[in-house]
Amino acid sequence: MNLLKILDGTPEPPIIDLRLENVNRSGDYHLPTPMYEFQKELTDQIVSLHYPDILKYCETNDKNDLIIKSLEICINNCMLVSTHPYLLINHYMPKNLASKDMSSKLADTSGKFSVLRDLMNVIISNTTRNTKTIGVVLNNNAKFFDLVEALLLGCSGNKTIKRYIGNYVEKESSKTNKSGDSNKPVTNIHLLPFDGKVTRDEEQFAQTKFDALIVFDSYVDTNHEFFQKLRTQNRRKEAIVIRLVPVRTVEHCQLYYSDMTTQNDYLYKIISSIVCLREHIGILPPDVFPIFNQHLKYLSHTFFDYAFKGSRSNSFPEWPLPELSKIPKFSATDIERSLLTEVHYHYTPYDSSEGNSQKPQKKKPSYYEAKRLESDYVTNSLRNDFNTLIGIFGNESNMTVNSDINRNILTHKLITQLKTAYLNWNIADEEHNTYIDYNRPDIQARVGRREDETKHALSKIINDIDHTESRILFAEKKTLRNIQELESTKEEMKDFESKLISFIADNSITNEKLKKFYDQQVKIWELQAKIKENLAKINSKHEEKNYMANECANAANSIIESKNQVQMAQELNNQLKRRIAISIDSGFEERTKFKKQKTELMEEIEAEKVINKTYQAKLGKSLKFLKETSHLKKRKSRGITPNGK
């Protein structure tokens, strides 16, 4: 190991004063996270797979259900990749998440996981409060919980991890065997589902008081009733919220357009931003590079010291990092240009150790310099080709340079290549057999007979077409000839008229009789023409006269019918008047009879009232008499009974 070379490396850049224009004191903070090269490559591959649907939707605004579903799948896959590639590629999912170096592997393959580990280490190492309770809210998916728990197990310091979904990655027995220093501050980390559907320890969960909440992914809706309850659970004021947002990714776009989810162009804005920002995803601003290079320790004294203090005021501490960048709007032309442009990714100092790697020296480097420092080792997924990364082996994988290595060892890759070779051989053999079967005599005879029949039918059709075309051509010629004859006839008539008019002048006739005859003949022709014209007028007048006569007859008939209808209406009116008079007379008689009956009944009632008063007076006198003579009455004594003594 060359210690001089290591000590003589690039110095770590210092943290500069950010000079924030807008300071965030809302209690809802955004922590940007990078994306590693593997995540960027997968994002580009996802966009390439949905290239036709994206282009069709953005250019023609085609809102077919299949296209919308395809775009939603694209967005969901990009969200999974921005969180961790293992969530999208199942065959990369580790089998043993409780291994010792699993936390480092997870952090090395995802920028968000790396930032989450650094953030939790800073929170755990902060000594402002002895006991801290942190809630990590994430998607209600067992894979999310398993990966996050495996990452947090590798965090240093005194901590406890509590999850409310699924089984623990680390067994309970191994947890109890680990001895922790009880004198150090304890950080209780709770993994919570975003929808509040907990499956265990509900009573303990209801009694928990959270000091800070970490929003892990964009599946979490901070406006949800459950999340709002978490912020104020067993607290006087709301707990702080820290969102992990990969820079310029789909999660960043969803957060930026969170107020426009009900608009019609919301999906277009998300898709266009994903496509056009592929080359810039996960690139942190240069001002915050030193902060992330120092594993976010800058936040310990600038933010968490104030956040974990027991302040009674409702104010929140200032967020020391700048706000997320704005997402520009993109047109359909920008989307098409981006899809047709090859994306080149650039390493950043926070992405991997390759950003700080120095130029190779002329002398042969040692194994440590050539492998470890250059990240050129087997477990580095970025060193594998695309076929190895996606787990699908085809013809291209057989053409790689390293395909002849270890041919004597039977591996899954060799088995897959052998299977592919057999499939290709079967396809070629089937094609060869197809050509042989086609050249058989019986098949050729059938094919030849069908060809003859087809040619015969085609010749008939061609003959019919030729005959029809000849007939059409003959008809066109005949029509043209008739038109020419008509034109010539008109010309001849005009010539005859002109000759007839100038007949005398042309022939120099001086005989008066002939002149008189000519004039009279011309007048006869003119009179005949006028007679024809007058006859036509007379006929038209006669037709008009007949038409007017018919109209007059119709009008007379309608007048007669109207008179009849008026007469019938008058008769009906008279009948109704008679009925009304009869009803009035009958009603008057009935009213008179009713009044008479009423008068008689009233008289009877008055008479009965008089009789009633008479009887009442008699009854009163009788009662008075009985009352006055009550002392004169004596009770009769009973005689001796048979049993009496």
Side-chain angles (χ1 to χ4, degrees):
M1 181 183 296
N2 191 354
L3 295 177
L4 295 177
K5 181 180 178 181
I6 296 175
L7 295 176
D8 195 20
T10 304
E12 186 174 309
I15 298 175
I16 61 175
D17 186 9
L18 298 178
R19 296 180 181 179
L20 304 179
E21 296 180 358
N22 298 323
V23 180
N24 186 1
R25 299 186 181 90
S26 63
D28 190 351
Y29 310 111
H30 303 154
L31 180 60
T33 64
M35 284 184 67
Y36 292 160
E37 295 302 307
F38 189 29
Q39 294 175 283
K40 297 178 182 179
E41 290 286 349
L42 286 178
T43 303
D44 184 49
Q45 293 297 328
I46 291 170
V47 173
S48 300
L49 289 175
H50 297 271
Y51 168 87
D53 297 332
I54 293 173
L55 201 59
K56 187 174 182 180
Y57 175 78
C58 295
E59 288 188 347
T60 63
N61 197 18
D62 189 356
K63 296 184 179 180
N64 189 8
D65 293 339
L66 295 177
I67 294 179
I68 298 298
K69 184 65 176 177
S70 175
L71 298 182
E72 291 176 352
I73 292 173
C74 176
I75 293 174
N76 187 40
N77 291 340
C78 291
M79 291 171 62
L80 294 177
V81 170
S82 64
T83 301
H84 202 287
Y86 292 171
L87 298 173
L88 181 64
I89 305 176
N90 292 326
H91 67 271
Y92 268 1
M93 192 72 178
K95 295 182 179 180
N96 185 13
L97 293 173
S99 59
K100 186 176 181 180
D101 57 344
M102 183 53 61
S103 178
S104 300
K105 287 184 178 180
L106 294 175
D108 291 340
T109 50
S110 172
K112 182 184 287 189
F113 273 65
S114 177
V115 172
L116 178 62
R117 185 181 64 173
D118 295 341
L119 181 64
M120 294 308 301
N121 286 331
V122 171
I123 293 174
I124 294 171
S125 62
N126 188 274
T127 58
T128 304
R129 182 176 295 180
N130 291 330
T131 303
K132 298 179 288 292
T133 304
I134 308 298
V136 181
V137 188
L138 60 158
N139 186 15
N140 192 352
N141 190 332
K143 290 183 179 180
F144 281 75
F145 278 78
D146 294 341
L147 292 178
V148 173
E149 183 187 358
L151 176 77
L152 297 178
L153 287 175
C155 294
S156 60
N158 195 8
K159 64 184 181 304
T160 60
I161 301 175
K162 179 70 177 178
R163 59 184 291 180
Y164 298 91
I165 295 294
N167 299 322
Y168 286 95
V169 171
E170 190 178 18
K171 296 181 180 179
E172 297 291 339
S173 59
S174 60
K175 288 183 180 180
T176 55
N177 292 333
K178 291 183 179 180
S179 59
D181 190 356
S182 59
N183 296 326
K184 292 184 178 180
V186 180
T187 302
N188 300 317
I189 304 173
H190 296 257
L191 304 182
L192 307 171
F194 75 100
D195 52 3
K197 296 180 180 179
V198 297
T199 58
R200 61 168 72 182
D201 301 333
E202 295 184 4
E203 296 181 357
Q204 181 181 357
F205 168 71
Q207 298 175 0
T208 306
K209 175 184 176 182
F210 295 100
D211 298 319
L213 295 174
I214 298 176
V215 178
F216 185 67
D217 50 56
S218 59
Y219 290 101
V220 181
D221 184 9
T222 55
N223 296 323
H224 193 268
E225 181 181 358
F226 172 73
F227 190 86
Q228 295 296 330
K229 183 180 178 182
L230 282 179
R231 295 191 68 180
T232 58
Q233 181 170 294
N234 301 323
R235 293 178 59 89
R236 294 182 179 178
K237 68 174 185 178
E238 295 181 342
I240 61 173
V241 177
I242 301 176
R243 299 171 183 257
L244 302 183
V245 183
V247 180
R248 296 184 182 90
T249 60
V250 59
E251 297 187 17
H252 187 178
C253 300
Q254 288 176 341
L255 180 61
Y256 184 77
Y257 294 114
S258 59
D259 298 334
M260 306 178 185
T261 54
T262 57
Q263 297 182 3
N264 296 329
D265 58 345
Y266 173 73
L267 182 59
Y268 173 82
K269 292 178 180 178
I270 298 297
I271 288 295
S272 61
S273 302
I274 293 174
V275 174
C276 297
L277 294 177
R278 285 177 298 158
E279 193 172 0
H280 307 284
I281 56 175
I283 299 178
L284 296 173
D287 295 342
V288 298
F289 275 161
I291 298 175
F292 284 85
N293 281 332
Q294 296 180 13
H295 306 290
L296 302 178
K297 294 179 181 179
Y298 173 76
L299 298 177
S300 180
H301 62 279
T302 59
F303 177 74
F304 288 111
D305 286 349
Y306 302 100
F308 292 145
K309 282 184 179 180
S311 177
R312 295 183 179 180
S313 62
N314 294 327
S315 61
F316 294 98
E318 297 180 356
W319 183 245
L321 299 181
E323 292 295 323
L324 298 176
S325 60
K326 296 182 179 180
I327 303 296
K329 295 182 179 180
F330 301 98
S331 62
T333 306
D334 298 332
I335 296 171
E336 185 177 6
R337 186 184 299 110
S338 177
L339 289 173
L340 296 176
T341 305
E342 184 180 0
V343 179
H344 299 281
Y345 298 107
H346 306 283
Y347 287 90
T348 59
Y350 193 70
D351 282 340
S352 63
S353 59
E354 294 185 2
N356 295 328
S357 61
Q358 299 179 358
K359 295 182 179 180
Q361 299 178 0
K362 294 182 179 180
K363 65 178 182 179
K364 184 178 180 181
S366 63
Y367 178 81
Y368 184 84
E369 294 172 345
K371 300 296 182 181
R372 298 292 294 175
L373 291 181
E374 296 294 334
S375 299
D376 188 9
Y377 45 89
V378 178
T379 58
N380 186 5
S381 56
L382 298 178
R383 294 297 180 182
N384 298 326
D385 59 350
F386 180 70
N387 294 317
T388 305
L389 292 178
I390 64 175
I392 301 174
F393 302 98
N395 293 330
E396 296 180 358
S397 63
N398 296 332
M399 302 301 295
T400 57
V401 177
N402 298 327
S403 59
D404 295 330
I405 299 176
N406 295 331
R407 285 292 186 179
N408 297 326
I409 301 174
L410 185 61
T411 61
H412 290 285
K413 183 175 181 179
L414 288 177
I415 294 174
T416 307
Q417 292 176 353
L418 182 62
K419 180 180 178 181
T420 305
Y422 273 116
L423 291 175
N424 294 333
W425 182 82
N426 288 333
I427 293 172
D429 187 49
E430 289 178 358
E431 291 180 355
H432 181 259
N433 293 332
T434 303
Y435 288 125
I436 293 174
D437 293 338
Y438 184 77
N439 291 325
R440 284 165 47 191
D442 53 347
I443 294 178
Q444 287 296 322
R446 289 199 300 269
V447 173
R449 185 175 66 254
R450 291 175 183 173
E451 289 181 356
D452 294 338
E453 292 176 356
T454 305
K455 289 180 180 179
H456 183 65
L458 182 61
S459 63
K460 285 185 177 181
I461 294 171
I462 293 173
N463 293 331
D464 293 339
I465 293 172
D466 294 337
H467 180 66
T468 305
E469 288 179 351
S470 62
R471 291 180 63 185
I472 292 171
L473 184 61
F474 177 75
E476 289 178 352
K477 290 181 179 180
K478 187 176 181 180
T479 304
L480 183 61
R481 186 169 60 253
N482 293 332
I483 292 172
Q484 292 176 355
E485 290 178 356
L486 181 62
E487 294 293 334
S488 63
T489 304
K490 288 181 179 180
E491 293 293 334
E492 289 178 358
M493 289 178 66
K494 289 181 180 179
D495 293 339
F496 283 130
E497 288 178 358
S498 61
K499 288 179 180 180
L500 186 61
I501 293 171
S502 61
F503 177 76
I504 296 175
D506 293 340
N507 295 323
S508 63
I509 297 174
T510 58
N511 191 353
E512 294 295 332
K513 291 182 179 181
L514 291 176
K515 288 182 179 180
K516 187 176 181 180
F517 174 77
Y518 173 76
D519 294 335
Q520 290 177 354
Q521 187 64 37
V522 171
K523 288 181 180 180
I524 289 170
W525 288 339
E526 291 177 354
L527 290 174
Q528 287 178 352
K530 289 181 179 180
I531 289 169
K532 289 181 180 179
E533 184 178 356
N534 291 329
L535 288 175
K537 290 181 179 180
I538 290 169
N539 290 329
S540 63
K541 293 292 184 181
H542 184 68
E543 291 177 356
E544 290 180 0
K545 180 181 177 182
N546 293 333
Y547 174 75
M548 293 303 296
N550 292 329
E551 292 295 326
C552 291
N554 293 331
N557 293 330
S558 64
I559 290 170
I560 294 171
E561 290 178 358
S562 299
K563 288 181 179 179
N564 294 332
Q565 291 178 359
V566 170
Q567 187 176 0
M568 292 174 63
Q570 289 178 354
E571 291 178 356
L572 181 61
N573 190 14
N574 294 330
Q575 290 180 2
L576 293 174
K577 286 181 179 180
R578 287 195 296 270
R579 289 181 182 178
I580 291 170
I582 292 170
S583 62
I584 290 172
D585 294 339
S586 62
F588 179 75
E589 292 177 357
E590 289 179 356
R591 285 196 299 273
T592 304
K593 186 177 180 180
F594 174 74
K595 288 180 179 179
K596 185 177 180 181
Q597 291 178 357
K598 181 180 178 181
T599 304
E600 292 177 355
L601 291 174
M602 292 297 292
E603 290 176 355
E604 290 180 0
I605 290 170
E606 292 296 332
E608 293 295 332
K609 285 182 178 180
V610 172
I611 295 171
N612 187 20
K613 289 181 179 180
T614 305
Y615 284 139
Q616 286 180 356
K618 288 182 180 181
L619 181 61
K621 290 179 180 180
S622 299
L623 292 174
K624 185 177 180 182
F625 175 76
L626 291 174
K627 186 176 181 181
E628 291 176 353
T629 59
S630 60
H631 62 282
L632 299 176
K633 295 181 180 180
K634 294 182 180 179
R635 186 177 181 182
K636 294 181 180 181
S637 61
R638 296 176 61 186
I640 299 173
T641 60
N643 296 328
K645 293 183 180 180

